[in-house]
Amino acid sequence: MVMTTTTTAALSPVLTTPPAAPADAAAYFAARLAFHTDVADVHASLAAGATDFVVVDSRSTPSWDQGHIPGAVHLPTDRIPQLAAEFLDPAVPVVVHCWGPGCDGATRAALALARLGYRVKEMIGGIEYWIREGYAVDTWEGPRQLPADPLTAPVDSDDCGC
């Protein structure tokens, strides 16, 4: 038997704004997934040989040289209007990323690409979480891979548990 208690205490800060109705929440989360993907899904797809999207790194050249996702296209945000057509097929969806969650460079790049007519998703976590989850990067010195950070990824697993 479930017991409920009615109190006159104030609502917690979590529920000061009530949760959305289930149908509204489902629509929101479905829409969010249309705009975002994460590093684990991108890595798993690339490792399986997926060719139905292209990864675009929107960072500067020195950042790219420091480390980038193998097979990614380097297209700095400020160069997208001039270079997108040269490097991207408008029929192939784009997954764009920048440094990490503290950077909105990928959002600006995604906006620029969308305005040019590309279908685009933003990879949440950026290159920071790619590296922190233990995935390899190419650098100007060659391939590099660090161990997974146990605070961001399960150790010895490709499954984020999501």
Side-chain angles (χ1 to χ4, degrees):
M1 174 186 336
V2 176
M3 307 235 356
T4 58
T5 307
T6 304
T7 65
T8 58
L11 289 175
S12 70
V14 170
L15 296 178
T16 300
T17 300
D24 294 338
Y28 168 80
F29 292 117
R32 189 174 187 282
L33 289 171
F35 297 106
H36 297 99
T37 189
D38 63 29
V39 297
D41 287 345
V42 171
H43 179 267
S45 297
L46 293 175
T51 59
D52 57 348
F53 67 93
V54 63
V55 176
V56 169
D57 186 324
S58 66
R59 298 173 302 140
S60 68
T61 298
S63 299
W64 167 267
D65 290 344
Q66 187 176 332
H68 57 271
I69 295 171
V73 172
H74 183 221
L75 197 55
T77 300
D78 63 348
R79 303 285 294 145
I80 287 173
Q82 296 81 23
L83 299 177
E86 182 179 339
F87 292 99
L88 303 175
D89 178 347
V92 178
V94 175
V95 173
V96 67
H97 74 85
C98 193
W99 274 109
C103 171
D104 66 358
T107 304
R108 287 192 302 273
L111 175 59
L113 288 164
R115 285 180 170 160
L116 292 172
Y118 292 89
R119 293 178 299 146
V120 61
K121 285 188 170 196
E122 184 177 351
M123 184 178 79
I124 57 175
I127 195 72
E128 175 188 349
Y129 275 74
W130 182 272
I131 293 167
R132 290 181 77 181
E133 291 191 16
Y135 304 138
V137 295
D138 287 339
T139 74
W140 68 275
E141 296 175 309
R144 179 176 172 216
Q145 186 168 7
L146 298 174
D149 180 343
L151 296 176
T152 63
V155 178
D156 298 327
S157 173
D158 284 338
D159 179 16
C160 74
C162 301

